[in-house]
Amino acid sequence: MKIETKVLHKGYEPRNGEPRTLPIYQSTTYQYDSAEEIGQLFDLSTDGFFYSRIHNPTVDAVEKKIASLEGGIGALCTTSGQAASFLALMNILKAGDHFISSSTIYGGSVNLFAVTMRRFGIDCTFVDAEASEVEIQKAIQPNTKAIFGETIANPALTILDIEKFACIAKKNKIPLIIDNTFATPVLCRPIEFGANIVIHSTTKYMDGHAVQLGGVIVDGGNFNWTNGKFPEFTEPDASYHGIVYTDTFKEAAYIVKARVQLMRDLGCYPTAQDAFLLNLGLETLPIRMKQHCENALAIARFLSESDMVESVNYPGLENNPYHTLMKKYTPNGCSGVVSFIIKGGRENAMRFMNALKLAGNVVHVADIRTCILHPASSTHRQLTDEQLKGAGISPGLIRFSVGLENLTDILDDLKNGLSEIEK
């Protein structure tokens, strides 16, 4: 199946006389005929559902669909993208371990890695994604257990050279984890370029309608957990009667352990209703991403020609420094997010935003409706202009998430905003 077909038919396959669309299994518990059967579930010796904190039939169908879309062997849904990032790493790491990450990643991930995970005794070194393999290799330590990066960084809109990082990870016998939120499997499938684990904030394009939070972890099934660096996969788990994940679950050891160990203990599993809504979004993902990308490229080109715009950042533009990597990793488009700098700094940026009628001034991105955000007056409001520049954020910077409205209407809204600051 091609991806346009997979989003409609994978995950849930009705049998004779069953509902054609995915049902909502609104239940926390599941009944069995004998105590022995339930015991087998707790021994992990048979498949089945027993409690919706770790497994639910509706969520299971969505997990299978997303795994298929990314080319993985299994997936685990979570209640947010942050939870997906945390579990993906904590399934590998323990106190005293270290991992490296590209520095151009989502700000929430930076805080998670640099502050919260440090409280768990886990250190992270941030590296320049543009550095050479030799330079990045210098950040690898004897206790380094993973490498993390984003396909299309939020909000920097840089494109990660996945194969370069995959080569480094393979050389050091550690997994490469890629956040594929902005690209989605429609535009890029990182496993095909050597990634081992893929995560998403499904809150963004996968859902697409801003109706529910979620995240997902996808296991590529292509990493050797028996290479001696990951004893938690190859030594008995006392909490499951001494089961050894690599012996019992083979290439699926990672994703099974994440579910039955971490999800069991941390309980950040989505509800059946959330999964049902996510599935509705997934069913239209390919056609939505196509239109997001087409609209965004047209908007980026329009803004590039405006005398009131200092610069435009969108990898789809031929003069963008990441255009070559974009053609390699996301040749069919690079999402609907465009960033640009208004001339005149903070004051003009505010005037521009206040003049918009169609674009929603919201702290969100990757929605079917056009969204706009001025970091200097919202997410980074506490910083002075000098501090903003130190953080790489211009006072006039605008993040513009292009929606699915008619392109002419979006352009008219931008023209109206630009005309306001020209007065």
Side-chain angles (χ1 to χ4, degrees), residues 25-228:
Y25 291 92
Q26 194 67 48
S27 181
T28 61
T29 50
Y30 308 88
Q31 184 170 310
Y32 289 86
D33 293 334
S34 70
E36 287 77 15
E37 289 178 276
I38 294 179
Q40 289 171 1
L41 293 172
F42 278 89
D43 284 342
L44 305 182
S45 61
T46 188
D47 291 330
F49 305 94
F50 57 90
Y51 197 51
S52 287
R53 190 174 76 234
I54 65 172
H55 216 184
N56 169 277
T58 306
V59 187
D60 176 70
V62 177
E63 290 169 341
K64 289 175 178 173
K65 176 176 289 187
I66 295 174
S68 176
L69 298 180
E70 282 288 7
I73 62 166
L76 175 65
C77 282
T78 63
T79 50
S80 70
Q82 282 289 84
S85 297
F86 181 65
L87 263 64
L89 285 160
M90 290 302 292
N91 199 36
I92 302 168
L93 304 169
K94 64 182 183 301
D97 283 342
H98 169 264
F99 69 104
I100 68 173
S101 171
S102 165
S103 58
T104 47
I105 58 173
Y106 169 55
S109 298
V110 173
N111 291 334
L112 173 64
F113 299 168
V115 180
T116 301
M117 292 188 72
R118 188 157 290 166
R119 293 173 180 165
F120 286 80
I122 297 167
D123 285 328
C124 175
T125 298
F126 293 96
V127 298
D128 181 359
E130 303 307 306
S132 67
E133 289 187 29
V134 173
E135 286 299 309
I136 296 172
Q137 179 64 37
K138 292 178 182 178
I140 300 289
Q141 303 173 15
N143 60 340
T144 302
K145 296 292 182 66
I147 300 177
F148 186 96
E150 291 183 10
T151 308
I152 303 174
N154 173 18
L157 301 183
T158 57
I159 306 289
L160 188 75
D161 190 344
I162 300 173
E163 287 189 340
K164 178 177 75 175
F165 278 84
C167 181
I168 298 168
K170 186 175 182 179
K171 176 182 177 181
N172 291 277
K173 298 181 180 180
I174 56 178
L176 174 62
I177 303 172
I178 295 293
D179 183 336
N180 200 34
T181 296
F182 268 18
T184 81
V186 173
L187 302 179
C188 180
R189 287 177 287 281
I191 293 170
E192 295 177 0
F193 295 101
N196 306 110
I197 299 153
V198 175
I199 67 166
H200 290 266
S201 168
T202 62
T203 313
K204 309 303 189 297
Y205 284 119
M206 280 189 167
D207 163 50
H209 298 75
V211 294
Q212 57 84 36
L213 294 172
V216 70
I217 305 167
V218 180
D219 183 359
N222 57 354
F223 186 79
N224 177 20
W225 299 105
T226 65
N227 64 19

Side-chain angles (χ1 to χ4, degrees), residues 297 300-301 304 314-324 326-327:
L297 182 57
R301 286 173 174 163
S304 298
Y314 187 68
L317 294 174
E318 290 77 5
N319 62 350
N320 187 278
Y322 292 93
H323 188 67
T324 299
M326 174 255 175
K327 288 193 293 184

Side-chain angles (χ1 to χ4, degrees), residues 159-363:
I159 306 289
L160 188 75
D161 190 344
I162 300 173
E163 287 189 340
K164 178 177 75 175
F165 278 84
C167 181
I168 298 168
K170 186 175 182 179
K171 176 182 177 181
N172 291 277
K173 298 181 180 180
I174 56 178
L176 174 62
I177 303 172
I178 295 293
D179 183 336
N180 200 34
T181 296
F182 268 18
T184 81
V186 173
L187 302 179
C188 180
R189 287 177 287 281
I191 293 170
E192 295 177 0
F193 295 101
N196 306 110
I197 299 153
V198 175
I199 67 166
H200 290 266
S201 168
T202 62
T203 313
K204 309 303 189 297
Y205 284 119
M206 280 189 167
D207 163 50
H209 298 75
V211 294
Q212 57 84 36
L213 294 172
V216 70
I217 305 167
V218 180
D219 183 359
N222 57 354
F223 186 79
N224 177 20
W225 299 105
T226 65
N227 64 19
K229 289 195 171 187
F230 303 92
E232 59 271 32
F233 291 93
T234 59
E235 295 180 359
D237 182 352
S239 68
Y240 278 110
H241 311 294
I243 198 169
V244 175
Y245 292 103
T246 49
D247 288 350
T248 304
F249 302 105
K250 308 302 180 184
E251 69 273 9
Y254 173 87
I255 202 65
V256 172
K257 178 178 175 293
R259 181 185 304 278
V260 302
Q261 192 183 78
L262 290 184
M263 189 60 76
R264 173 199 63 188
D265 293 345
L266 299 177
C268 48
Y269 200 60
T271 67
Q273 181 70 42
D274 283 340
F276 176 80
L277 293 171
L278 173 56
N279 187 61
L280 291 180
L282 289 170
E283 289 180 340
T284 60
L285 183 62
I287 57 175
R288 286 190 290 106
M289 291 308 296
K290 181 176 183 293
Q291 195 60 51
H292 277 299
C293 293
E294 289 181 5
N295 280 357
L297 182 57
I299 294 299
R301 286 173 174 163
F302 164 77
L303 291 168
S304 298
E305 297 173 358
S306 172
D307 294 334
M308 299 307 299
V309 175
E310 183 178 313
S311 63
V312 179
N313 181 18
Y314 187 68
L317 294 174
E318 290 77 5
N319 62 350
N320 187 278
Y322 292 93
H323 188 67
T324 299
L325 285 176
M326 174 255 175
K327 288 193 293 184
K328 176 178 180 178
Y329 292 110
T330 66
N332 295 320
C334 50
S335 88
V337 182
V338 179
S339 66
F340 57 98
I341 299 175
I342 294 287
K343 291 181 179 178
R346 185 192 299 256
E347 183 178 346
N348 271 358
M350 296 285 285
R351 289 178 64 189
F352 166 78
M353 290 194 53
N354 290 337
L356 300 178
K357 306 297 181 185
L358 182 66
N361 192 349
V362 300
V363 186

Side-chain angles (χ1 to χ4, degrees), residues 291 295 299 358 370 403-412:
Q291 195 60 51
N295 280 357
I299 294 299
L358 182 66
T370 296
L404 301 184
E405 300 93 345
N406 184 278
L407 178 59
T408 300
D409 292 331
I410 304 174
L411 288 169
D412 285 346

